[in-house]
Amino acid sequence: MTDERPYSPGLEGVIAAETALGYVDGEKGRLLYRGYRIGDLVEHGTYPAVANLLWTGDWEPEHRMATGEIPDGVLTTLQALPKTAKPMDALRTAVSAWGATQALTYPPTPEQARALTAFSPSALAAFARLRAGQEPVASDPSLDLVPGFLYQLTGTKPDAGTARALDAYFVVGAEHGLNASTFTARVIVSTRSDLASSVAGAIGALKGPLHGGAPSEVVEQLHQVGSVERAEQWVKETLDKGERLMGFGHRVYRAYDPRAAALRKVAQSMDKKPEWLDLAIKVEDVALRVLAERHPERALKTNVEYYAAAVLQGVGLTPDLFPATFALARHAGWTAHVIEQSADNRLIRPDARYTGPQERDLPA
Ligand code: ACO
């Protein structure tokens, strides 16, 4: 019962798929969507254009897309959830309920991807309002997806700067290679399941703090730091307790995360910056220095979540909406991977090394 085949915990370094969608260069800190640099896409693109690029391979910067309608049955499902439900749980439930109303066929298509990516912002906005005792706001087809989401969340059309900042966040969050949630989505569709099931599973994977739950914890940690003077002591004490600094470290990046660099720029140029942004920049310097001293063997740099927190709070989102907003942005990548997987499918079914007892008789 021995098995000499190599085992890589966490599948680290294992190539488990081929993709033409996102290229993550961890050593040089590069991220490309279908060959285009993330910094250029943030500057010259919008989320609908980037999503369309991922689904079709075509770069059409003028491509537009509004948020979608919520089917009646889905709204009833959202109304039935407790107000205390986590927005990620509500979004996962909404995607699942939406799938039940769509009779989705296999293989998944760009049209299905477009419909789900348009639906989910409306669903999250509706849940956020319902839990606050407010009526959901209907989608405004004249607004692009990201300003449309903010409108449905707040009931007010956002100013151009706010919409642009959140759109930049959506572009940065759209795709990132074979991360845990994308892998989950590909595994699900590899069984010839449908697009909504794949995305519902991906949302479940993204919910964990090691993946998409970090930005709200960044805000919490910065509140704990409180002041620049306390930064060094707080960082050291936190690491001494064996805890992790949220917004630092990455499975792939050994260089500065290019998404963090893009979002840092966006955050600094916002009219309404969170009051803790200057503190965050100073804490980052201290954290990078202390992490380098403690882990000379493994480069631990700032990851996307650190400045995502600043942009999301700057546009007026409450921290408990951060992970679900990240999930909205990642819809483009998840659905593009699901389409790509099904176009050249092989059931994903790896092996486990057995470590249990040898073959034996049941006790008499
Ligand atoms: N703070 C302190 N120490 C860290 C951190 C961190 N943020 N990240 C890694 N380390 C340490 C680990 O404790 C470990 O040390 P050890 O060997 O002495 O135990 C060493 O660095 C190697 O870490 P790994 O766990 O092997 O790194 P892994 O690749 O598994 O983890 C991860 C990557 C999960 C992102 C990790 O860096 C982490 O937990 N970061 C904090 C949470 C976070 O910011 N998540 C968002 C990631 S970005 C995204 O998903 C969109």
Side-chain angles (χ1 to χ4, degrees):
M1 293 170 86
T2 56
D3 189 341
E4 296 307 324
R5 290 174 298 170
Y7 163 49
S8 178
L11 298 184
E12 190 163 2
V14 172
I15 305 246
E18 285 189 324
T19 183
L21 299 170
Y23 177 63
V24 185
D25 179 350
E27 293 303 321
K28 294 204 181 105
R30 282 191 304 162
L31 172 61
L32 312 176
Y33 294 173
R34 292 198 183 266
Y36 298 120
R37 284 182 289 278
I38 189 66
D40 293 348
L41 291 168
V42 168
E43 209 169 317
H44 303 292
T46 61
Y47 181 71
V50 165
N52 188 61
L53 170 73
L54 291 168
W55 293 324
T56 66
D58 299 327
W59 178 237
E60 296 166 9
E62 299 312 317
H63 191 88
R64 292 287 168 266
M65 177 177 163
T67 57
E69 300 293 325
I70 306 176
D72 288 347
V74 180
L75 194 57
T76 313
T77 306
L78 288 174
Q79 282 162 336
L81 292 177
K83 290 190 164 84
T84 52
K86 288 201 162 84
M88 278 295 255
D89 290 329
L91 181 63
R92 194 194 57 240
T93 304
V95 168
S96 189
W98 179 87
T101 66
Q102 300 297 305
L104 296 169
T105 52
Y106 180 93
T109 62
E111 288 66 41
Q112 293 178 3
R114 219 178 288 280
L116 178 54
T117 303
F119 155 79
S120 287
S122 301
L124 179 60
F127 175 71
R129 292 182 69 85
L130 287 168
R131 71 176 180 169
Q134 297 166 318
E135 279 300 306
V137 173
S139 158
D140 180 342
S142 73
L143 293 175
D144 222 352
L145 187 131
V146 172
F149 166 58
L150 283 171
Y151 167 62
Q152 284 173 271
L153 199 58
T154 62
T156 312
K157 291 186 184 167
D159 62 74
T162 300
R164 183 81 196 108
L166 188 61
D167 192 87
Y169 169 80
F170 268 59
V171 169
V172 156
E175 153 61 10
H176 207 243
L178 203 60
N179 53 80
S181 55
T182 302
F183 184 54
T184 304
R186 288 188 79 126
V187 169
I188 293 173
V189 85
S190 83
T191 68
R192 298 200 185 172
S193 182
D194 62 89
L195 181 116
S197 302
S198 301
V199 170
I203 294 171
L206 188 70
K207 191 179 162 196
L210 296 189
H211 192 7
S216 38
E217 298 190 34
V218 170
V219 180
E220 170 54 31
Q221 288 198 336
L222 286 168
H223 283 315
Q224 286 173 24
V225 178
S227 69
V228 177
E229 295 70 43
R230 260 183 47 75
E232 178 129 4
Q233 188 197 349
W234 182 87
V235 165
K236 288 184 169 161
E237 280 174 8
T238 303
L239 293 175
D240 287 343
K241 282 188 267 174
E243 290 174 16
R244 293 187 174 200
L245 304 180
M246 290 296 145
F248 295 89
H250 198 270
R251 175 57 63 85
V252 181
Y253 288 119
R254 297 293 160 257
Y256 200 97
D257 185 334
R259 303 169 298 170
L263 289 185
R264 179 176 164 148
K265 246 201 235 170
V266 172
Q268 284 176 306
S269 67
M270 288 174 79
D271 289 339
K272 298 175 215 144
K273 304 179 193 40
E275 73 288 349
W276 45 259
L277 182 60
D278 288 340
L279 173 66
I281 291 171
K282 291 186 177 117
V283 170
E284 180 188 20
D285 288 341
V286 174
L288 289 174
R289 178 167 48 75
V290 176
L291 284 170
E293 287 162 12
R294 301 264 176 126
H295 289 280
E297 79 301 340
R298 186 168 180 110
L300 294 170
K301 307 279 194 216
T302 318
N303 69 44
V304 61
E305 307 285 28
Y306 197 70
Y307 286 108
V311 173
L312 293 172
Q313 183 141 336
V315 302
L317 298 183
T318 51
D320 73 336
L321 286 174
F322 293 179
T325 307
F326 182 19
L328 297 182
R330 188 51 63 82
H331 270 53
W334 287 332
T335 51
H337 274 271
V338 161
I339 293 166
E340 187 179 60
Q341 174 69 34
S342 60
D344 185 17
N345 189 42
R346 175 121 181 109
L347 175 69
I348 299 175
R349 201 298 186 194
D351 277 345
R353 179 178 289 165
Y354 178 70
T355 59
Q358 295 295 309
E359 186 172 355
R360 54 182 166 164
D361 296 327
L362 280 169

